[in-house]
Amino acid sequence: MKMNISILSIAAICILISGCSNYRELNELGVIIAMGIDHNDDPDNPYKVTYQVINPSGLSQTNTSGGQGLAVINYTITGKTILETFGKSASVIPRENNTTHLSLIIIGEKLARNNLDLIFDGLDRGKYSRGSIPIFIARGKTAKDVLGVIEPLETTPGKNILSTTQNNQKLYGSSSEVLAYEIISSLLSEGKDASLPGISISNDSQKGKRTENLETTNPTTIKVKGLAIFRKGKLVRWLDGETARDAQFVTSKVKNTPVVLPCERGNMTINTIGVKSKMLTAIHHEKPVIHTDINVMGELLETSCEINLSDPRVLKKSEKKMENVLKKQIKRTISITQKEKSDIFGFGDALSRTNPVYWRQNKKNWDNLYSDAQISLKVHVDIINSGLRMEPYEPK
């Protein structure tokens, strides 16, 4: 019995010791929370990578006493490959590099216009790779510039970018998070091109990189700006505003978004509360035909139109008007992608599943086939709520 107790005691001690064998104090680690990848003009070192590292002392000051220490520190390294810059970073980051808390990657627009393919090889192949990291494009700026902004509301630029993107997806829908594994899948696919959310700097000035940005009511901030569309791994165009949002309708990524309908003496605002799309493909006279059905559920939130909402025919008329408006907008967006030969919706993937023989014979020419494909679009709207008031306010 005593022997058994002794063995159990030794086993427990071994478990406890082994559990702490890889333990590190926070002040021994360089915790990388964001990474920015830019084009470098030096052909021998074509990549410029900015690593944003948590500053524990600055973070504690930010959360408690309001001291002047910054929550993050940026280190910029150049190299022939992304992973080479990571190795080189050990020469300037005075702590053991740790990427387990990497929360986002930003790619500079200039680099995105050259090619994304080689960027993601190391991220996908490396032993520290994670496919759940959100990817963004720095629009009109370098990734280094974006990560250099001292944010007034959030402790780090990365936290601000993620929160703003999530808010946009919930309330307007022109942008949504795209994870690393999704962009890698698009780059490897023969029937779908990539699209990525854009971010930029609002009210840009030098003070945005200094602590005085925290001392003004009109600070430099990071904002969501557009949807980058790609063709064969290269950024070819930006979609903005309604056009970017309409692209999200096709892929069912829109949640809540206000749609404004004009009327005789004002406007009506209907907020979508559910969007579901369905893609079907067919071949007609050896050419692809793409059928897209979009079902939208909405609530009437605001109106200055002189209408009686207690009349069911009025709501039916409003539903029809919204269907026509969305159909026109979404067709315009699809036409833009056809002009750029950029199938960001994955119509080619859908075609490969429904018509595999035709796809195998024509997939090498899909960009041209998509450009000329016939688009059949149906939009159905149900307005399920018009609020408590049946009549609009009348001006005195």
Side-chain angles (χ1 to χ4, degrees), residues 34-321:
M35 186 165 75
I37 308 174
D38 288 305
H39 170 80
N40 190 34
D41 290 331
D42 181 1
D44 294 329
N45 295 287
Y47 294 104
K48 182 187 293 182
V49 182
T50 300
Y51 295 97
Q52 187 161 91
V53 181
I54 283 285
N55 176 15
S57 58
L59 192 62
S60 62
Q61 287 176 350
T62 302
N63 290 336
T64 55
S65 62
Q68 295 301 309
L70 296 178
V72 291
I73 301 172
N74 291 346
Y75 297 91
T76 301
I77 320 292
T78 61
K80 296 181 180 65
T81 66
I82 307 297
L83 291 184
E84 185 190 32
T85 67
F86 183 73
K88 283 183 174 181
S89 68
S91 302
V92 292
I93 300 177
R95 296 174 181 175
E96 181 183 335
N97 294 352
N98 184 293
T99 59
T100 55
H101 293 279
L102 182 63
S103 60
L104 82 163
I105 295 173
I106 304 172
I107 300 169
E109 180 172 347
K110 187 174 182 180
L111 181 59
R113 289 191 179 276
N114 290 339
N115 207 323
L116 288 186
D117 291 344
L118 295 178
I119 296 175
F120 289 96
D121 183 82
L123 297 175
D124 189 35
R125 193 187 304 271
K127 67 177 181 178
Y128 300 111
S129 64
R130 289 204 334 271
S132 59
I133 303 172
I135 311 293
F136 298 87
I137 302 296
R139 183 172 183 179
K141 298 290 179 181
T142 64
K144 180 182 177 181
D145 288 337
V146 174
L147 288 176
V149 174
I150 298 175
E151 269 298 322
L153 283 182
E154 299 288 358
T155 53
T156 68
K159 179 69 166 62
N160 176 273
I161 292 166
L162 294 175
S163 298
T164 305
T165 304
Q166 290 163 3
N167 284 342
N168 181 286
Q169 186 173 7
K170 290 176 184 176
L171 300 176
Y172 189 68
S174 65
S175 180
S176 61
E177 281 187 3
V178 177
L179 305 183
Y181 77 87
E182 295 176 297
I183 190 72
I184 291 169
S185 176
S186 296
L187 292 172
L188 295 175
S189 172
E190 294 176 301
K192 184 179 181 181
D193 285 299
S195 62
L196 284 170
I199 51 173
S200 190
I201 301 175
S202 179
N203 194 27
D204 191 12
S205 68
Q206 284 301 312
K207 71 179 181 182
K209 300 179 181 180
R210 299 192 292 264
T211 54
E212 59 190 271
N213 197 45
L214 307 175
E215 302 168 354
T216 174
T217 57
N218 188 30
T220 298
T221 57
I222 299 170
K223 65 178 181 179
V224 173
K225 191 176 181 182
L227 182 70
I229 65 173
F230 291 77
R231 180 189 173 197
K232 296 182 178 179
K234 295 182 179 181
L235 195 162
V236 292
R237 181 165 179 159
W238 288 95
L239 302 180
D240 286 295
E242 284 183 353
T243 310
R245 182 183 65 174
D246 296 335
Q248 310 283 10
F249 268 102
V250 179
T251 54
S252 301
K253 289 186 177 180
V254 169
K255 294 181 180 178
N256 295 306
T257 188
V259 178
V260 180
L261 307 177
C263 59
E264 189 174 342
R265 296 188 180 181
N267 291 294
M268 177 187 300
T269 304
I270 297 171
N271 192 62
T272 68
I273 57 174
V275 176
K276 195 170 185 179
S277 65
K278 185 178 180 181
M279 282 184 252
L280 297 172
T281 55
I283 305 301
H284 185 65
H285 296 309
E286 291 301 310
K287 289 189 176 182
V289 179
I290 296 167
H291 302 276
T292 305
D293 293 339
I294 302 175
N295 292 295
V296 180
M297 202 178 297
E299 296 178 319
L300 196 157
L301 295 184
E302 178 186 23
T303 180
S304 56
C305 308
E306 293 185 4
I307 54 177
N308 179 12
L309 295 174
S310 61
D311 185 350
R313 292 173 298 181
V314 171
L315 281 182
K316 287 294 179 185
K317 189 175 179 180
S318 298
E319 288 172 349
K320 192 66 178 176
K321 182 181 288 188

